[in-house]
Amino acid sequence: MKEHIVGEEISALSDGALSGAARARAEAHLADCGACRRELESLRHLKRLLAAAPRRTLPADLALNLEHRYVGARPWTAAFTRPAFWVPVGAVAAAALAFSVWSRSLSPAGDLPLEPLLAAHERYSAEALVPEPNLVASSYSDPLTLTYADAADGTTE
Amino acid sequence: MLAAALAPAPARALPRPEELLDAALAAPSVPYQGHVMVTQWYGHSADGRVRSRTEEMRVYVRPPDQVRREFLTLDGTVARVLISDGDRESVRLVKSGRTIVGDAAGTGDKVLAPELERATLLSNYDLSVSTAEAVAGRATWRLSFAPKAAGKARQTLWIDRETKIVLRLKRWQPGRPFASEAYFVSISPRKEQPEELFRVEDSTGVGSAVHARALAPRFLTLDQLRARSGSTFPDKLPGGFIFESADVFSVRKSPVRHARYTDGLTVLSVFQTDRPVRLPKNAAIPAGREALPGPLRASTAGKVMQWRVGPRHYVMMSDVSRDLMAEIAKSLR
Amino acid sequence: MDAETFAGLIAQAGDKAYNFAYRLSGNEQDARDLVQESFARAFEHAGAYDASRPFDSWLLRILHNVFLDGMRRHWHSRTVSLDAPSPVEDTGWADLLPEDETPAHDELARRESLDLLQKALDRVPLLFKAAVVLCDIEGLSYEEIAQVADVPVGTVRSRIHQGRLLLRREYEALERRGGVAS
């Protein structure tokens, strides 16, 4: 009587990691053996269950933290990039901050930046009857960092 | 008689929504400090994930109107410091040493009387109160705002039963990837707070101060706006929005007229410019039922839409739905 | 490689790492710590990274080591304070999905049966658990798993099999107790 397939081989078969003579032997055995077929199906069911597990994504604050810390920081960029593509640390760090939504690419000359308008809108939200003062403070001080970081001293208009 | 004695004690009565609202809006009764997390979700990125932005902050409050906020980077260092002494406010950017100064938030000379704004709120939203889970270890009431008109966000406040401080806020649109939330991770009322914490930073040793228009907005009436800039705006917009005030400032020497609208809870801005404004480079939000007059993008302010009418460019900012934005844009032609 | 691509690479690897870390440790706090520590270590040893090899696998290998180190130091799970609502967990992605997706009922049922899965995973010894997670959740090949776990392919094969048997036994036991259909 043919021996049952070793359990490990059934697992490997379900993973497509069995080949050559071992695979031929296993498949031949399965043709005749209900018990092993059931075991294979049971393992496949478990695999399907695991594969269907919803993927957890990086929590937003952690993702931001990592981006902030590691994007553009040497020596990692050195390991990843060729000199032609290396971007100065400061600019990348700034771009990687929460306002990465804002593009720094060239735009048609004469276009106005959005940040001052955003700052004005968010700052005005702080005057609402029902503000969430912590939320709006976060919102309006944010675009200010881009708008005014390089501004000359004195009053801006 | 016996039945009454055996009956469970009546549940503690819920406060009336309007009373709770007023209590929450009033100035804090005790000094306190705490740790707050703020998160905003704003649309999808190209690979389908929901974009979000989170900030962590330490807050110190001294009644009636002094606040110090320190925004932390996620390894705990301070990135920005906002200080308000009730009259003026400073924003110090730690990395660049730059300080920006202006009027304190919440002290604006609004055109709309508070009673009228409150009445507008009540006419545009259904308020309700319920019991709620604890926030930062403290018992709360939950005050919810349900919009009567379609296309607007819902909002819920968790209000501390003892001090009436708002411990948590959540604002979201069901089924839409736009939401914001702020909540106290921990909070401790204090007997007092030292004055030194709330000294506005006019000029620091390192950088020096910039007086920023964005932090010192004007509150012009519609007539004043017209007189100053020649631009006219309607006093009402679809969706229950009313004109509150306007401002005029310039960006790169080009004038920007800012008309602000409110429905009592939601704020909507319409900017009018003579030159186009550069929108964020993320994926455009597709049109809904209504055709859009121009590109619509997601930002931390909700949505931003730009369109042209002749030589004028308009930019609208709000977190209302794209259909409502399209409808409002139509009324501004 | 420009900054945006690099940021995307980190995001992608970070997601994979976090998912792996979560399945290994069974809770968010430890998963966060594992990911932070792994990135820090990867950064420290950036010189050793061979850019012609996939970054994901390299990071997972570091994470696997960090986890083992942690286990050896008797790393305990922390309990998360129930008073502080976590924005992502509490909001419910059902509230944040675009209109055309319908989660609700299916999602809830799926979420429940998967809690069971994580509970069962928590009871499987870590070396077996890691192998099964890498194979069936992360979809790595035996060779790739051998690289991550730093063991021969034969060992990977037997760990995967043992892991599945143990997982199945724990899962079925939990199902009988809880009565939740998978």
Side-chain angles (χ1 to χ4, degrees):
Chain A
M1 152 152 158
K2 270 224 184 90
E3 269 179 20
H4 285 302
I5 328 173
V6 170
E8 252 185 51
E9 290 197 348
I10 303 190
S11 253
L13 188 67
S14 74
D15 294 328
L18 210 58
S19 58
R23 175 166 163 182
R25 196 174 50 236
E27 285 176 342
H29 175 86
L30 280 171
D32 291 334
C33 179
C36 286
R37 275 201 302 276
R38 278 191 293 279
E39 179 66 3
L40 179 63
E41 188 45 47
S42 168
L43 289 178
R44 280 192 177 140
H45 176 76
L46 188 64
K47 275 173 70 76
R48 279 196 294 269
L49 199 67
L50 285 161
R55 299 193 63 78
R56 303 230 154 205
T57 50
L58 219 43
D61 57 324
L62 183 54
L64 212 63
N65 184 15
L66 294 173
E67 215 177 309
H68 183 70
R69 249 199 244 203
Y70 299 115
V71 174
R74 282 160 148 163
W76 228 349
T77 23
F80 278 92
T81 65
R82 279 167 261 128
F85 294 97
W86 187 68
V87 180
V89 174
V92 175
L97 287 174
F99 12 114
S100 57
V101 173
W102 314 121
S103 164
R104 284 168 172 265
S105 63
L106 293 172
S107 60
D111 274 13
L112 302 179
L114 184 66
E115 288 86 342
L117 275 61
L118 203 60
H121 170 79
E122 298 284 14
R123 171 61 178 79
Y124 179 70
S125 304
E127 305 294 332
L129 180 70
V130 189
E132 204 301 317
N134 296 314
L135 182 59
V136 296
S138 163
S139 296
Y140 70 73
S141 59
D142 206 27
L144 285 178
T145 57
L146 278 181
T147 309
Y148 294 106
D150 302 315
D153 291 349
T155 311
T156 62
E157 181 55 302
Chain B
M1 214 46 185
L2 190 61
L6 288 175
R12 177 166 167 176
L14 295 176
R16 291 184 332 121
E18 289 166 38
E19 275 173 16
L20 190 56
L21 175 67
D22 293 337
L25 296 182
S29 47
V30 292
Y32 65 91
Q33 61 196 57
H35 205 91
V36 175
M37 291 288 287
V38 169
T39 307
Q40 286 164 294
W41 291 269
Y42 50 105
H44 286 113
S45 59
D47 59 0
R49 294 162 59 211
V50 179
R51 245 186 257 269
S52 71
R53 172 188 172 273
T54 299
E55 283 218 286
E56 206 176 323
M57 52 198 293
R58 286 195 286 257
V59 178
Y60 305 83
V61 172
R62 186 164 181 265
D65 49 19
Q66 299 189 327
V67 193
R68 180 190 182 96
R69 295 186 174 94
E70 294 170 352
F71 292 86
L72 310 178
T73 62
L74 282 135
D75 52 17
T77 56
V78 179
R80 306 198 287 295
V81 181
L82 267 74
I83 302 174
S84 167
D85 64 7
D87 177 33
R88 289 177 318 138
E89 184 170 290
S90 62
V91 179
R92 176 162 55 90
L93 313 173
V94 172
K95 202 191 279 197
S96 62
R98 168 73 67 199
T99 302
I100 304 157
V101 183
D103 296 337
T107 63
D109 300 318
K110 293 177 67 164
V111 168
L112 194 62
E115 308 82 57
L116 189 50
E117 191 168 356
R118 189 174 174 282
T120 307
L121 168 63
L122 296 175
S123 73
N124 280 315
Y125 292 85
D126 289 318
L127 272 62
S128 58
V129 179
S130 57
T131 54
E133 64 276 27
V135 178
R138 300 178 68 87
T140 62
W141 299 115
R142 185 165 39 197
L143 175 63
S144 298
F145 301 80
K148 291 183 184 171
K152 291 189 197 168
R154 295 169 184 266
Q155 186 159 313
T156 299
L157 305 180
W158 282 254
I159 298 164
D160 182 49
R161 291 191 196 184
E162 191 189 320
T163 61
K164 309 297 184 295
I165 297 169
V166 175
L167 295 178
R168 179 182 173 200
L169 168 145
K170 197 156 116 179
R171 188 177 164 81
W172 78 104
Q173 295 170 55
R176 293 251 155 270
F178 288 92
S180 43
E181 179 170 32
Y183 63 92
F184 278 86
V185 174
S186 63
I187 183 170
S188 40
R190 288 237 178 291
K191 252 209 292 222
E192 56 192 21
Q193 288 282 22
E195 256 190 83
E196 296 78 44
L197 280 182
F198 308 95
R199 296 230 175 91
V200 168
E201 295 169 326
D202 282 77
S203 53
T204 59
V206 183
S208 44
V210 167
H211 292 265
R213 281 288 289 111
L215 285 189
R218 291 193 195 97
F219 295 83
L220 305 174
T221 62
L222 275 175
D223 290 335
Q224 286 170 331
L225 174 66
R226 193 175 50 238
R228 213 182 259 263
S229 70
S231 301
T232 52
F233 282 90
D235 64 354
K236 277 193 176 53
L237 290 177
F241 286 94
I242 60 176
F243 174 84
E244 196 284 314
S245 61
D247 191 6
V248 180
F249 54 94
S250 55
V251 175
R252 309 233 169 122
K253 303 213 171 37
S254 186
V256 179
R257 299 127 204 136
H258 180 192
R260 300 99 146 216
Y261 292 81
T262 178
D263 70 354
L265 189 68
T266 303
V267 174
L268 187 138
S269 283
V270 182
F271 297 92
Q272 196 194 65
T273 58
D274 297 337
R275 299 215 306 254
V277 174
R278 198 185 318 137
L279 291 195
K281 246 196 171 250
N282 55 53
I285 299 173
R289 279 185 303 274
E290 304 257 351
L292 298 176
L296 179 66
R297 300 279 152 78
S299 79
T300 49
K303 301 184 192 71
V304 180
M305 184 166 75
Q306 178 166 217
W307 71 99
R308 254 181 85 163
V309 180
R312 307 275 212 197
H313 299 265
Y314 287 87
V315 175
M316 191 190 311
M317 273 182 206
S318 185
D319 66 358
V320 301
S321 71
R322 56 194 166 194
D323 284 339
L324 186 51
M325 284 187 105
E327 204 188 322
I328 291 173
K330 248 197 237 168
S331 74
L332 285 161
R333 294 285 176 80
Chain C
M1 189 188 297
D2 64 4
E4 222 176 282
T5 314
F6 190 53
L9 192 73
I10 292 202
Q12 201 192 349
D15 277 339
K16 251 200 181 154
Y18 184 77
N19 198 44
F20 183 43
Y22 187 89
R23 294 295 171 202
L24 281 183
S25 62
N27 72 88
E28 184 187 318
Q29 191 55 55
D30 283 338
R32 279 170 173 261
D33 291 347
L34 269 174
V35 171
Q36 285 271 30
E37 179 63 33
S38 302
F39 268 89
R41 232 188 252 195
F43 183 64
E44 247 177 76
H45 299 115
Y49 172 63
D50 175 6
S52 65
R53 303 257 302 282
F55 178 62
D56 294 354
S57 308
W58 187 61
L59 187 67
L60 287 181
R61 182 192 162 119
I62 291 177
L63 202 148
H64 191 256
N65 285 336
V66 170
F67 188 55
L68 286 181
D69 290 349
M71 285 289 101
R72 286 187 206 111
R73 276 185 257 123
H74 308 292
W75 201 346
H76 299 289
S77 286
R78 243 147 298 167
T79 50
V80 178
S81 163
L82 292 172
D83 284 346
S86 146
V88 174
E89 310 295 297
D90 189 44
T91 297
W93 287 103
D95 281 344
L96 299 175
L97 291 171
E99 239 165 10
D100 38 74
E101 293 192 39
T102 41
H105 192 72
D106 303 60
E107 186 62 45
L108 204 63
R110 214 153 58 101
R111 240 182 260 163
E112 268 169 39
S113 80
L114 283 151
D115 260 344
L116 222 60
L117 187 65
Q118 187 57 47
K119 285 197 185 88
L121 269 172
D122 290 344
R123 290 165 159 79
V124 176
L126 102 89
L127 289 175
F128 302 126
K129 169 166 61 177
V132 172
V133 169
L134 286 171
C135 183
D136 293 336
I137 296 186
E138 296 302 329
L140 266 57
S141 69
Y142 281 23
E143 287 73 26
E144 288 169 331
I145 299 173
Q147 296 282 345
V148 169
D150 198 20
V151 292
V153 171
T155 308
V156 171
R157 203 167 90 155
S158 81
R159 279 184 188 175
I160 286 177
H161 184 64
Q162 278 303 306
R164 282 184 184 145
L165 292 182
L166 290 166
L167 179 62
R168 182 173 64 186
R169 188 182 67 190
E170 297 301 331
Y171 187 75
E172 285 173 354
L174 285 170
E175 263 192 314
R176 278 195 300 276
R177 245 178 282 156
V180 175
S182 61

